[in-house]
Amino acid sequence: MRSIRPPFARGRGRRAVLAATGLVAALALTATACGPSTDDDASGASDSSAAAQSAGGSSGSDAAGLADELSNRLKEHGIDPDKWKNGGWKNWDREEWLRNAKDFVNPYIKDLWKPERMKSAKDPAKTVAKDAVADQGVTDPEPQPVEAQAEKTPYHENAAPVGKVFFDSPKGHMVCSGTVVKDVRHPGKSNLVWTAGHCVHAGAGGGWYRNIEFVPSYNDLGKPMADLQNATYQEVAPYGKFWADWASTSNEWINEGGETGGNGAPYDYAVLHVKPEQGGKSLEETVGAALDVDFSAPSTSEAGTMGAWGYPAAPPYDGQKMFKCLDRPGRLSIEPSKPTMYRIGCTMTGGSSGGGWFRVVGKKTELVSNTSIGPITNGWLAGPQLGEGAKAVYDNMSQKYGGQ
């Protein structure tokens, strides 16, 4: 992903400012509950969606049960689980790298994501050249940068559904952002996380990423990196860690996604199904908050103010604190035959990829997009419209795996 920038451009006036204030307040009300590194520590839902089937199974409620469940799927691919956990997962040979929708595997590796490893994870930057989209389809003028604002702490009281997604890629261990979303088929007990497709799959040039884990309210008190040097799990992950046992993204991202987003960018979304490393409570019960997803794909003229939340990790940020940007979206066309994307001004950088975009519908805050791409200059962010294809990805995950 990439980008986001400054305050509301002149001409949007007091009305936009009031709308932004309402969005921030609404998100806060949902909180009802308490780049590569050298570190070497250890399925189609519809024509436009792909369900990735990790190692399934019923209900492992602790680390041991989770590990047993996820090892079985690995065996189906002829891979020895012990060799995988002892370093075999680091083999990214093209012939060994599973890429099809049905082939997602994410065997649990106990204590892999230690605080130090999480702290040093880098962003999978998705940048586009400043003039890459000139004169393509319907594209509005580039928005004025909106300066990203630090979220208030503790995060669980101000942006409870937001967290970080950690994963390993051929470039090292990486980080994105994600959002706890409601599971309409399992009310109050959702284990679903919304993020970007490029945070789970490499696109046309590769396959599924590995060791995917979600940490809600990461660094809840927003401590600086220096204070996290010897941080405990409780300080870094106040609600624990949630391992992804299933993942789903669009077929368009799998087949057309690229290093700079590519033609897959308008379909750059994904849903994770996660399980707690310890305990049996669902993610939503643990965090105390989750957002509905708005699949109406509202036009930019009717969408109103949108807010993007995430943990930017590329300079000048370091990935340890949560930030947000609020702006009225414009249109961005990557390719005339593809859906138009939303674009807002924002200075957030890589690491905020996958972070949710929210808007107020009635009196309710809903997720309407996620961060996908941005320019090298970090002045704006773009996210996909969530329509029928995105709903198919979500429905497939909820129907098949939500209750597990």
mmCIF file of all heavy atoms in Angstrom, residues 128-151:
data_model
loop_
_atom_site.group_PDB
_atom_site.id
_atom_site.type_symbol
_atom_site.label_atom_id
_atom_site.label_comp_id
_atom_site.label_asym_id
_atom_site.label_seq_id
_atom_site.Cartn_x
_atom_site.Cartn_y
_atom_site.Cartn_z
ATOM 1 N N VAL A 128 2.612 3.710 -6.560
ATOM 2 C CA VAL A 128 2.467 3.936 -7.995
ATOM 3 C C VAL A 128 3.152 5.251 -8.331
ATOM 4 O O VAL A 128 3.208 6.163 -7.516
ATOM 5 C CB VAL A 128 0.984 4.006 -8.408
ATOM 6 C CG1 VAL A 128 0.319 2.663 -8.213
ATOM 7 C CG2 VAL A 128 0.241 5.079 -7.642
ATOM 8 N N ALA A 129 3.710 5.321 -9.535
ATOM 9 C CA ALA A 129 4.350 6.562 -9.958
ATOM 10 C C ALA A 129 3.321 7.682 -9.963
ATOM 11 O O ALA A 129 2.142 7.465 -10.215
ATOM 12 C CB ALA A 129 4.956 6.386 -11.349
ATOM 13 N N LYS A 130 3.777 8.904 -9.721
ATOM 14 C CA LYS A 130 2.853 10.029 -9.585
ATOM 15 C C LYS A 130 1.974 10.215 -10.809
ATOM 16 O O LYS A 130 0.811 10.594 -10.709
ATOM 17 C CB LYS A 130 3.650 11.308 -9.310
ATOM 18 C CG LYS A 130 2.766 12.493 -8.930
ATOM 19 C CD LYS A 130 3.603 13.663 -8.497
ATOM 20 C CE LYS A 130 2.729 14.832 -8.053
ATOM 21 N NZ LYS A 130 3.526 15.987 -7.625
ATOM 22 N N ASP A 131 2.508 9.915 -11.995
ATOM 23 C CA ASP A 131 1.733 10.148 -13.206
ATOM 24 C C ASP A 131 1.193 8.858 -13.816
ATOM 25 O O ASP A 131 0.745 8.817 -14.940
ATOM 26 C CB ASP A 131 2.581 10.872 -14.250
ATOM 27 C CG ASP A 131 3.818 10.070 -14.630
ATOM 28 O OD1 ASP A 131 4.079 9.033 -13.980
ATOM 29 O OD2 ASP A 131 4.523 10.482 -15.570
ATOM 30 N N ALA A 132 1.222 7.780 -13.032
ATOM 31 C CA ALA A 132 0.865 6.477 -13.591
ATOM 32 C C ALA A 132 -0.583 6.373 -14.017
ATOM 33 O O ALA A 132 -0.938 5.538 -14.837
ATOM 34 C CB ALA A 132 1.187 5.375 -12.577
ATOM 35 N N VAL A 133 -1.458 7.186 -13.437
ATOM 36 C CA VAL A 133 -2.881 7.039 -13.747
ATOM 37 C C VAL A 133 -3.435 8.220 -14.539
ATOM 38 O O VAL A 133 -4.639 8.375 -14.658
ATOM 39 C CB VAL A 133 -3.688 6.881 -12.441
ATOM 40 C CG1 VAL A 133 -3.310 5.589 -11.758
ATOM 41 C CG2 VAL A 133 -3.450 8.051 -11.506
ATOM 42 N N ALA A 134 -2.567 9.040 -15.078
ATOM 43 C CA ALA A 134 -3.039 10.215 -15.818
ATOM 44 C C ALA A 134 -3.906 9.814 -17.000
ATOM 45 O O ALA A 134 -3.562 8.921 -17.764
ATOM 46 C CB ALA A 134 -1.823 11.013 -16.303
ATOM 47 N N ASP A 135 -5.051 10.462 -17.128
ATOM 48 C CA ASP A 135 -5.953 10.289 -18.267
ATOM 49 C C ASP A 135 -6.520 8.887 -18.415
ATOM 50 O O ASP A 135 -6.989 8.517 -19.491
ATOM 51 C CB ASP A 135 -5.240 10.690 -19.571
ATOM 52 C CG ASP A 135 -4.797 12.136 -19.538
ATOM 53 O OD1 ASP A 135 -5.561 12.981 -19.021
ATOM 54 O OD2 ASP A 135 -3.680 12.418 -20.005
ATOM 55 N N GLN A 136 -6.498 8.077 -17.384
ATOM 56 C CA GLN A 136 -7.076 6.737 -17.462
ATOM 57 C C GLN A 136 -8.448 6.741 -16.797
ATOM 58 O O GLN A 136 -8.569 6.984 -15.601
ATOM 59 C CB GLN A 136 -6.173 5.713 -16.762
ATOM 60 C CG GLN A 136 -4.847 5.490 -17.477
ATOM 61 C CD GLN A 136 -4.011 4.434 -16.785
ATOM 62 O OE1 GLN A 136 -4.393 3.919 -15.751
ATOM 63 N NE2 GLN A 136 -2.872 4.117 -17.355
ATOM 64 N N GLY A 137 -9.483 6.463 -17.538
ATOM 65 C CA GLY A 137 -10.813 6.384 -16.973
ATOM 66 C C GLY A 137 -11.230 7.683 -16.305
ATOM 67 O O GLY A 137 -10.832 8.772 -16.701
ATOM 68 N N VAL A 138 -12.043 7.560 -15.260
ATOM 69 C CA VAL A 138 -12.543 8.727 -14.536
ATOM 70 C C VAL A 138 -11.676 8.957 -13.306
ATOM 71 O O VAL A 138 -11.793 8.247 -12.311
ATOM 72 C CB VAL A 138 -14.011 8.529 -14.108
ATOM 73 C CG1 VAL A 138 -14.519 9.768 -13.391
ATOM 74 C CG2 VAL A 138 -14.862 8.215 -15.324
ATOM 75 N N THR A 139 -10.816 9.937 -13.379
ATOM 76 C CA THR A 139 -9.922 10.254 -12.265
ATOM 77 C C THR A 139 -10.054 11.727 -11.914
ATOM 78 O O THR A 139 -9.884 12.597 -12.773
ATOM 79 C CB THR A 139 -8.455 9.937 -12.621
ATOM 80 O OG1 THR A 139 -8.303 8.526 -12.801
ATOM 81 C CG2 THR A 139 -7.516 10.402 -11.514
ATOM 82 N N ASP A 140 -10.365 12.000 -10.672
ATOM 83 C CA ASP A 140 -10.483 13.383 -10.208
ATOM 84 C C ASP A 140 -9.107 13.960 -9.913
ATOM 85 O O ASP A 140 -8.119 13.220 -9.784
ATOM 86 C CB ASP A 140 -11.336 13.426 -8.942
ATOM 87 C CG ASP A 140 -12.793 13.073 -9.222
ATOM 88 O OD1 ASP A 140 -13.301 13.493 -10.273
ATOM 89 O OD2 ASP A 140 -13.408 12.365 -8.395
ATOM 90 N N PRO A 141 -9.007 15.289 -9.813
ATOM 91 C CA PRO A 141 -7.718 15.918 -9.490
ATOM 92 C C PRO A 141 -7.123 15.329 -8.207
ATOM 93 O O PRO A 141 -7.851 14.936 -7.293
ATOM 94 C CB PRO A 141 -8.086 17.390 -9.298
ATOM 95 C CG PRO A 141 -9.297 17.577 -10.161
ATOM 96 C CD PRO A 141 -10.069 16.291 -10.015
ATOM 97 N N GLU A 142 -5.813 15.272 -8.169
ATOM 98 C CA GLU A 142 -5.139 14.727 -6.988
ATOM 99 C C GLU A 142 -5.512 15.532 -5.744
ATOM 100 O O GLU A 142 -5.484 16.762 -5.760
ATOM 101 C CB GLU A 142 -3.623 14.780 -7.198
ATOM 102 C CG GLU A 142 -2.826 14.160 -6.076
ATOM 103 C CD GLU A 142 -1.347 14.085 -6.414
ATOM 104 O OE1 GLU A 142 -1.024 13.779 -7.583
ATOM 105 O OE2 GLU A 142 -0.523 14.347 -5.521
ATOM 106 N N PRO A 143 -5.889 14.867 -4.665
ATOM 107 C CA PRO A 143 -6.315 15.591 -3.460
ATOM 108 C C PRO A 143 -5.149 16.265 -2.750
ATOM 109 O O PRO A 143 -3.985 15.867 -2.906
ATOM 110 C CB PRO A 143 -6.911 14.491 -2.581
ATOM 111 C CG PRO A 143 -6.162 13.260 -2.990
ATOM 112 C CD PRO A 143 -5.954 13.409 -4.478
ATOM 113 N N GLN A 144 -5.463 17.295 -2.002
ATOM 114 C CA GLN A 144 -4.460 17.920 -1.154
ATOM 115 C C GLN A 144 -4.079 16.947 -0.047
ATOM 116 O O GLN A 144 -4.925 16.218 0.474
ATOM 117 C CB GLN A 144 -5.023 19.195 -0.536
ATOM 118 C CG GLN A 144 -5.235 20.331 -1.522
ATOM 119 C CD GLN A 144 -3.923 20.824 -2.100
ATOM 120 O OE1 GLN A 144 -2.967 21.092 -1.368
ATOM 121 N NE2 GLN A 144 -3.863 20.929 -3.415
ATOM 122 N N PRO A 145 -2.807 16.885 0.327
ATOM 123 C CA PRO A 145 -2.401 15.974 1.398
ATOM 124 C C PRO A 145 -3.105 16.320 2.719
ATOM 125 O O PRO A 145 -3.296 17.479 3.048
ATOM 126 C CB PRO A 145 -0.897 16.210 1.515
ATOM 127 C CG PRO A 145 -0.501 16.757 0.184
ATOM 128 C CD PRO A 145 -1.666 17.616 -0.247
ATOM 129 N N VAL A 146 -3.505 15.306 3.444
ATOM 130 C CA VAL A 146 -4.106 15.475 4.768
ATOM 131 C C VAL A 146 -3.137 14.877 5.787
ATOM 132 O O VAL A 146 -2.783 13.696 5.699
ATOM 133 C CB VAL A 146 -5.472 14.764 4.863
ATOM 134 C CG1 VAL A 146 -5.990 14.785 6.303
ATOM 135 C CG2 VAL A 146 -6.477 15.414 3.918
ATOM 136 N N GLU A 147 -2.681 15.691 6.693
ATOM 137 C CA GLU A 147 -1.691 15.236 7.673
ATOM 138 C C GLU A 147 -2.312 14.194 8.596
ATOM 139 O O GLU A 147 -3.342 14.422 9.221
ATOM 140 C CB GLU A 147 -1.191 16.413 8.508
ATOM 141 C CG GLU A 147 0.075 16.111 9.297
ATOM 142 C CD GLU A 147 1.274 15.925 8.398
ATOM 143 O OE1 GLU A 147 1.385 16.635 7.374
ATOM 144 O OE2 GLU A 147 2.108 15.058 8.717
ATOM 145 N N ALA A 148 -1.689 13.027 8.656
ATOM 146 C CA ALA A 148 -2.188 11.953 9.517
ATOM 147 C C ALA A 148 -2.106 12.367 10.981
ATOM 148 O O ALA A 148 -1.098 12.942 11.421
ATOM 149 C CB ALA A 148 -1.388 10.677 9.283
ATOM 150 N N GLN A 149 -3.150 12.070 11.723
ATOM 151 C CA GLN A 149 -3.206 12.423 13.138
ATOM 152 C C GLN A 149 -3.058 11.168 13.999
ATOM 153 O O GLN A 149 -3.638 10.124 13.699
ATOM 154 C CB GLN A 149 -4.545 13.090 13.459
ATOM 155 C CG GLN A 149 -4.806 14.356 12.660
ATOM 156 C CD GLN A 149 -3.793 15.453 12.976
ATOM 157 O OE1 GLN A 149 -3.522 15.744 14.140
ATOM 158 N NE2 GLN A 149 -3.233 16.059 11.931
ATOM 159 N N ALA A 150 -2.285 11.275 15.064
ATOM 160 C CA ALA A 150 -2.110 10.139 15.970
ATOM 161 C C ALA A 150 -3.426 9.848 16.682
ATOM 162 O O ALA A 150 -4.112 10.762 17.143
ATOM 163 C CB ALA A 150 -1.014 10.446 16.994
ATOM 164 N N GLU A 151 -3.797 8.566 16.747
ATOM 165 C CA GLU A 151 -5.009 8.187 17.456
ATOM 166 C C GLU A 151 -4.782 8.333 18.964
ATOM 167 O O GLU A 151 -3.663 8.173 19.462
ATOM 168 C CB GLU A 151 -5.381 6.732 17.119
ATOM 169 C CG GLU A 151 -6.664 6.229 17.766
ATOM 170 C CD GLU A 151 -7.858 7.117 17.488
ATOM 171 O OE1 GLU A 151 -8.083 8.081 18.259
ATOM 172 O OE2 GLU A 151 -8.570 6.852 16.501
#
